[in-house]
Amino acid sequence: MRYRFRCLLVAAVLTLSWFGTADLLLAKESCRISVDTILAARNDTVVDPQLKRHIGELQAMFNYTSYRLLSSESLNLSVGQSGLVSLPGDRRLKITPQKIRGSRADIALQMMKQTRTVFETQVQLLNRGSLFVGGPTYQNGNLIFKISSAY
Amino acid sequence: MIHPDADACDEIRLYRYLDKDLDAGEMAQMAAHVAGCRQCRRQLAALTTFSQDLRDRVKEATNSVDFVAVEKQVLNKALRQYGSRGGLSRFIAALKYTIPATITAGLLLFFAYSSDVYKPPPLPSAIINSFTGSMSSVMIFETPETRQTILWYIEETDVESEPNAV
């Protein structure tokens, strides 16, 4: 009886420890990248309902009055694999997860417009976190790209 | 008649008569004998006096004893003996279960606290390690509360159309 109790206790402790450290020990091999393209403008006050939860703080920082979701695209990418997302204004965003460890993924981003590279950057994106890339003019406003990762 | 019944002058019978340990017939017989026997009467009187004196002394001694205190003393002594005999082994035996149970409870509390209760301060959603490109300007900042990282750039061809969006 005592032996059984001890075995159960050890199993419980090991299980709990595993749940606590599994994320750290097991390297993830792929992640899901989402790119939401938002048009921020000042000509009206429309805010798409699906954006309200994500841009609450942005509204306080920018002087735009409307936020429209133009497109949304998701990619499942393995480490080292590149994915391309088409963006308005003849732009493309090349996304390459390079390493995933702990709570962050190292991701290389390359923004291209027509045939030239606008910028290249290396970011460490928090799991279920987002990077907002904005600035390019489009129609009557500016584009904001919300790049999110989850794994 | 000093000795009406020589057999009746029995000291044992006299004790039993004094203690009323005789049957009714013997009691009557002994009473009749004592009434007529001076020696037995004297002895009976002496025994009665001695017995009464003994009872009084016992009663006096009993009244002077604090039985509650004695009871407490005896209980304390018994508990001390019980504790010294089995307390340590019982304590060690209890530790066999108490320590693992405490460790398990601690781990459960730790995981529950770290996963549900403890809310660490938000980390920046993205850390930009490097940035290169051909553009007019670039700003990197984060929102004050949730620390959402924002990279804002102005393309070279966009300078005049949207110089300052922020």
mmCIF file of all heavy atoms in Angstrom, chain B residues 29-53:
data_model
loop_
_atom_site.group_PDB
_atom_site.id
_atom_site.type_symbol
_atom_site.label_atom_id
_atom_site.label_comp_id
_atom_site.label_asym_id
_atom_site.label_seq_id
_atom_site.Cartn_x
_atom_site.Cartn_y
_atom_site.Cartn_z
ATOM 1 N N GLN B 29 -27.756 -13.964 69.757
ATOM 2 C CA GLN B 29 -27.013 -14.774 70.735
ATOM 3 C C GLN B 29 -25.812 -13.994 71.260
ATOM 4 O O GLN B 29 -25.532 -13.962 72.452
ATOM 5 C CB GLN B 29 -26.578 -16.072 70.064
ATOM 6 C CG GLN B 29 -25.970 -17.078 71.014
ATOM 7 C CD GLN B 29 -25.493 -18.344 70.288
ATOM 8 O OE1 GLN B 29 -25.652 -18.456 69.070
ATOM 9 N NE2 GLN B 29 -24.952 -19.280 71.022
ATOM 10 N N MET B 30 -25.112 -13.313 70.326
ATOM 11 C CA MET B 30 -23.910 -12.569 70.720
ATOM 12 C C MET B 30 -24.299 -11.353 71.563
ATOM 13 O O MET B 30 -23.595 -10.997 72.525
ATOM 14 C CB MET B 30 -23.167 -12.136 69.456
ATOM 15 C CG MET B 30 -21.736 -11.737 69.693
ATOM 16 S SD MET B 30 -20.756 -13.118 70.295
ATOM 17 C CE MET B 30 -19.291 -12.244 70.810
ATOM 18 N N ALA B 31 -25.428 -10.709 71.216
ATOM 19 C CA ALA B 31 -25.884 -9.556 71.994
ATOM 20 C C ALA B 31 -26.218 -9.970 73.430
ATOM 21 O O ALA B 31 -25.865 -9.260 74.387
ATOM 22 C CB ALA B 31 -27.110 -8.937 71.312
ATOM 23 N N ALA B 32 -26.847 -11.111 73.543
ATOM 24 C CA ALA B 32 -27.179 -11.608 74.868
ATOM 25 C C ALA B 32 -25.902 -11.922 75.646
ATOM 26 O O ALA B 32 -25.792 -11.642 76.858
ATOM 27 C CB ALA B 32 -28.061 -12.840 74.746
ATOM 28 N N HIS B 33 -24.921 -12.442 74.937
ATOM 29 C CA HIS B 33 -23.663 -12.785 75.603
ATOM 30 C C HIS B 33 -22.916 -11.540 76.057
ATOM 31 O O HIS B 33 -22.437 -11.451 77.192
ATOM 32 C CB HIS B 33 -22.788 -13.597 74.637
ATOM 33 C CG HIS B 33 -21.402 -13.784 75.146
ATOM 34 N ND1 HIS B 33 -21.077 -14.680 76.165
ATOM 35 C CD2 HIS B 33 -20.236 -13.173 74.819
ATOM 36 C CE1 HIS B 33 -19.796 -14.613 76.435
ATOM 37 N NE2 HIS B 33 -19.247 -13.687 75.603
ATOM 38 N N VAL B 34 -22.866 -10.543 75.163
ATOM 39 C CA VAL B 34 -22.143 -9.309 75.494
ATOM 40 C C VAL B 34 -22.821 -8.626 76.689
ATOM 41 O O VAL B 34 -22.143 -8.078 77.582
ATOM 42 C CB VAL B 34 -22.076 -8.380 74.283
ATOM 43 C CG1 VAL B 34 -21.604 -6.987 74.676
ATOM 44 C CG2 VAL B 34 -21.140 -8.965 73.235
ATOM 45 N N ALA B 35 -24.135 -8.696 76.691
ATOM 46 C CA ALA B 35 -24.870 -8.047 77.786
ATOM 47 C C ALA B 35 -24.513 -8.675 79.132
ATOM 48 O O ALA B 35 -24.482 -7.994 80.182
ATOM 49 C CB ALA B 35 -26.369 -8.149 77.531
ATOM 50 N N GLY B 36 -24.169 -9.935 79.099
ATOM 51 C CA GLY B 36 -23.869 -10.600 80.348
ATOM 52 C C GLY B 36 -22.390 -10.792 80.606
ATOM 53 O O GLY B 36 -22.007 -11.301 81.684
ATOM 54 N N CYS B 37 -21.525 -10.440 79.639
ATOM 55 C CA CYS B 37 -20.083 -10.710 79.782
ATOM 56 C C CYS B 37 -19.314 -9.393 79.847
ATOM 57 O O CYS B 37 -19.242 -8.649 78.860
ATOM 58 C CB CYS B 37 -19.607 -11.550 78.594
ATOM 59 S SG CYS B 37 -17.840 -11.883 78.618
ATOM 60 N N ARG B 38 -18.780 -9.096 81.018
ATOM 61 C CA ARG B 38 -18.091 -7.827 81.190
ATOM 62 C C ARG B 38 -16.850 -7.723 80.294
ATOM 63 O O ARG B 38 -16.581 -6.675 79.706
ATOM 64 C CB ARG B 38 -17.678 -7.671 82.647
ATOM 65 C CG ARG B 38 -16.983 -6.357 82.923
ATOM 66 C CD ARG B 38 -16.406 -6.305 84.313
ATOM 67 N NE ARG B 38 -17.431 -6.248 85.320
ATOM 68 C CZ ARG B 38 -17.179 -6.260 86.636
ATOM 69 N NH1 ARG B 38 -15.931 -6.381 87.068
ATOM 70 N NH2 ARG B 38 -18.148 -6.204 87.545
ATOM 71 N N GLN B 39 -16.108 -8.843 80.201
ATOM 72 C CA GLN B 39 -14.863 -8.813 79.409
ATOM 73 C C GLN B 39 -15.151 -8.501 77.939
ATOM 74 O O GLN B 39 -14.492 -7.665 77.322
ATOM 75 C CB GLN B 39 -14.161 -10.169 79.542
ATOM 76 C CG GLN B 39 -12.798 -10.190 78.878
ATOM 77 C CD GLN B 39 -12.126 -11.570 79.010
ATOM 78 O OE1 GLN B 39 -12.539 -12.409 79.814
ATOM 79 N NE2 GLN B 39 -11.081 -11.772 78.227
ATOM 80 N N CYS B 40 -16.182 -9.198 77.468
ATOM 81 C CA CYS B 40 -16.538 -8.967 76.059
ATOM 82 C C CYS B 40 -17.062 -7.550 75.862
ATOM 83 O O CYS B 40 -16.838 -6.916 74.822
ATOM 84 C CB CYS B 40 -17.567 -10.004 75.602
ATOM 85 S SG CYS B 40 -16.843 -11.639 75.332
ATOM 86 N N ARG B 41 -17.798 -7.075 76.904
ATOM 87 C CA ARG B 41 -18.352 -5.726 76.789
ATOM 88 C C ARG B 41 -17.219 -4.697 76.723
ATOM 89 O O ARG B 41 -17.261 -3.756 75.930
ATOM 90 C CB ARG B 41 -19.259 -5.480 77.990
ATOM 91 C CG ARG B 41 -20.401 -4.568 77.660
ATOM 92 C CD ARG B 41 -21.500 -4.534 78.721
ATOM 93 N NE ARG B 41 -21.087 -4.598 80.079
ATOM 94 C CZ ARG B 41 -21.373 -5.622 80.904
ATOM 95 N NH1 ARG B 41 -22.063 -6.671 80.464
ATOM 96 N NH2 ARG B 41 -20.989 -5.618 82.163
ATOM 97 N N ARG B 42 -16.220 -4.912 77.595
ATOM 98 C CA ARG B 42 -15.077 -3.993 77.574
ATOM 99 C C ARG B 42 -14.331 -4.052 76.231
ATOM 100 O O ARG B 42 -13.959 -3.025 75.654
ATOM 101 C CB ARG B 42 -14.102 -4.377 78.689
ATOM 102 C CG ARG B 42 -14.524 -3.879 80.038
ATOM 103 C CD ARG B 42 -13.467 -4.268 81.050
ATOM 104 N NE ARG B 42 -13.852 -3.875 82.376
ATOM 105 C CZ ARG B 42 -13.217 -4.271 83.490
ATOM 106 N NH1 ARG B 42 -12.177 -5.092 83.375
ATOM 107 N NH2 ARG B 42 -13.611 -3.875 84.688
ATOM 108 N N GLN B 43 -14.133 -5.273 75.786
ATOM 109 C CA GLN B 43 -13.407 -5.433 74.525
ATOM 110 C C GLN B 43 -14.193 -4.802 73.372
ATOM 111 O O GLN B 43 -13.620 -4.161 72.486
ATOM 112 C CB GLN B 43 -13.155 -6.914 74.253
ATOM 113 C CG GLN B 43 -12.133 -7.135 73.146
ATOM 114 C CD GLN B 43 -11.688 -8.578 73.038
ATOM 115 O OE1 GLN B 43 -12.105 -9.433 73.861
ATOM 116 N NE2 GLN B 43 -10.844 -8.866 72.095
ATOM 117 N N LEU B 44 -15.524 -5.026 73.445
ATOM 118 C CA LEU B 44 -16.381 -4.437 72.402
ATOM 119 C C LEU B 44 -16.327 -2.915 72.451
ATOM 120 O O LEU B 44 -16.255 -2.245 71.400
ATOM 121 C CB LEU B 44 -17.820 -4.931 72.600
ATOM 122 C CG LEU B 44 -18.805 -4.495 71.523
ATOM 123 C CD1 LEU B 44 -18.429 -5.102 70.170
ATOM 124 C CD2 LEU B 44 -20.226 -4.903 71.872
ATOM 125 N N ALA B 45 -16.338 -2.387 73.669
ATOM 126 C CA ALA B 45 -16.268 -0.925 73.813
ATOM 127 C C ALA B 45 -14.930 -0.408 73.284
ATOM 128 O O ALA B 45 -14.871 0.624 72.583
ATOM 129 C CB ALA B 45 -16.448 -0.534 75.277
ATOM 130 N N ALA B 46 -13.846 -1.149 73.610
ATOM 131 C CA ALA B 46 -12.521 -0.724 73.126
ATOM 132 C C ALA B 46 -12.443 -0.785 71.609
ATOM 133 O O ALA B 46 -11.924 0.140 70.933
ATOM 134 C CB ALA B 46 -11.455 -1.630 73.743
ATOM 135 N N LEU B 47 -12.996 -1.882 71.071
ATOM 136 C CA LEU B 47 -12.996 -2.026 69.605
ATOM 137 C C LEU B 47 -13.829 -0.935 68.943
ATOM 138 O O LEU B 47 -13.443 -0.367 67.903
ATOM 139 C CB LEU B 47 -13.530 -3.403 69.208
ATOM 140 C CG LEU B 47 -12.570 -4.579 69.413
ATOM 141 C CD1 LEU B 47 -13.283 -5.912 69.165
ATOM 142 C CD2 LEU B 47 -11.371 -4.462 68.488
ATOM 143 N N THR B 48 -14.969 -0.643 69.556
ATOM 144 C CA THR B 48 -15.837 0.394 68.996
ATOM 145 C C THR B 48 -15.145 1.749 69.007
ATOM 146 O O THR B 48 -15.168 2.502 68.022
ATOM 147 C CB THR B 48 -17.155 0.451 69.788
ATOM 148 O OG1 THR B 48 -17.760 -0.835 69.785
ATOM 149 C CG2 THR B 48 -18.114 1.481 69.208
ATOM 150 N N THR B 49 -14.513 2.056 70.128
ATOM 151 C CA THR B 49 -13.801 3.333 70.241
ATOM 152 C C THR B 49 -12.664 3.411 69.225
ATOM 153 O O THR B 49 -12.470 4.413 68.531
ATOM 154 C CB THR B 49 -13.231 3.486 71.667
ATOM 155 O OG1 THR B 49 -14.295 3.340 72.600
ATOM 156 C CG2 THR B 49 -12.564 4.838 71.844
ATOM 157 N N PHE B 50 -11.922 2.288 69.118
ATOM 158 C CA PHE B 50 -10.799 2.268 68.176
ATOM 159 C C PHE B 50 -11.285 2.439 66.734
ATOM 160 O O PHE B 50 -10.719 3.207 65.945
ATOM 161 C CB PHE B 50 -10.043 0.937 68.331
ATOM 162 C CG PHE B 50 -8.968 0.745 67.321
ATOM 163 C CD1 PHE B 50 -7.738 1.413 67.431
ATOM 164 C CD2 PHE B 50 -9.153 -0.086 66.215
ATOM 165 C CE1 PHE B 50 -6.753 1.240 66.481
ATOM 166 C CE2 PHE B 50 -8.165 -0.252 65.277
ATOM 167 C CZ PHE B 50 -6.958 0.416 65.413
ATOM 168 N N SER B 51 -12.369 1.742 66.457
ATOM 169 C CA SER B 51 -12.914 1.805 65.092
ATOM 170 C C SER B 51 -13.397 3.212 64.750
ATOM 171 O O SER B 51 -13.142 3.725 63.655
ATOM 172 C CB SER B 51 -14.061 0.777 64.973
ATOM 173 O OG SER B 51 -14.627 0.846 63.704
ATOM 174 N N GLN B 52 -14.088 3.803 65.736
ATOM 175 C CA GLN B 52 -14.601 5.155 65.503
ATOM 176 C C GLN B 52 -13.441 6.136 65.324
ATOM 177 O O GLN B 52 -13.470 7.000 64.428
ATOM 178 C CB GLN B 52 -15.482 5.578 66.690
ATOM 179 C CG GLN B 52 -16.146 6.938 66.511
ATOM 180 C CD GLN B 52 -17.068 6.971 65.308
ATOM 181 O OE1 GLN B 52 -17.834 6.009 65.100
ATOM 182 N NE2 GLN B 52 -16.998 8.023 64.511
ATOM 183 N N ASP B 53 -12.417 5.961 66.181
ATOM 184 C CA ASP B 53 -11.250 6.841 66.093
ATOM 185 C C ASP B 53 -10.552 6.691 64.741
ATOM 186 O O ASP B 53 -10.144 7.673 64.121
ATOM 187 C CB ASP B 53 -10.293 6.483 67.244
ATOM 188 C CG ASP B 53 -9.155 7.475 67.335
ATOM 189 O OD1 ASP B 53 -9.434 8.702 67.233
ATOM 190 O OD2 ASP B 53 -7.989 7.052 67.454
#
